[in-house]
Amino acid sequence: MRAFREAVEAGDLDAVEALLAENVVFTSPVVFKPYPGRAITAAILRAVSQVFEDFRYDRELTGGENGRDHALVFTARVGGRELSGCDFIHVDEDGLIDELTVMVRPLSGAQALAAAMGARFDAITKEAEARAAAAS
């Protein structure tokens, strides 16, 4: 999805958040349980933007029914570990992201990502709670 890619590449996390549907479901590459909702998804994306170093998208693929499925292939580093991954995005009928699934490899990169995000997860949760309260 071009708008998401451009917002991420520009570091415009407010624009990224504006592209998320209220009922978006984020599926992490390192946690089994999906995270439902805009507030937690935005907080996770804000944190990961601080964790990833030298992040760049390399390819963009679009397909699926009505062109609503997208894959953005990326590379980055986390704590000195190289990783590659893919953001799988589905958009709803309004053009907002309602599913965001991230996958990364190799295992050493996924482990570095899990450790870095795990260390921030209390702050991520607090930010999400504050955002959800402000939105209601």
Side-chain angles (χ1 to χ4, degrees), residues 45-111:
L45 294 175
R46 287 179 193 284
V48 83
S49 74
Q50 298 167 358
V51 168
F52 279 159
E53 304 162 28
D54 301 325
F55 178 89
R56 75 175 185 281
Y57 283 117
D58 298 316
R59 282 186 309 207
E60 182 175 342
L61 309 166
T62 300
E65 186 178 324
N66 300 321
R68 292 175 27 187
D69 292 298
H70 307 270
L72 300 173
V73 180
F74 64 85
T75 57
R77 286 184 308 107
V78 176
R81 297 285 184 179
E82 303 271 335
L83 61 84
S84 58
C86 190
D87 293 336
F88 294 98
I89 298 170
H90 182 270
V91 296
D92 65 16
E93 58 279 349
D94 297 321
L96 296 175
I97 298 168
D98 61 0
E99 294 176 25
L100 174 56
T101 299
V102 180
M103 294 188 181
V104 298
R105 65 161 307 279
L107 179 59
S108 61
Q111 289 170 328

Side-chain angles (χ1 to χ4, degrees), residues 26-41:
F26 176 79
T27 304
S28 165
V30 295
V31 177
F32 177 73
K33 175 188 82 159
Y35 297 96
R38 178 188 287 160
I40 189 68
T41 300

Side-chain angles (χ1 to χ4, degrees), residues 30 47 50-51 111-125:
V30 295
Q50 298 167 358
V51 168
Q111 289 170 328
L113 178 59
M117 291 298 288
R120 291 171 167 74
F121 215 76
D122 285 343
I124 291 169
T125 302

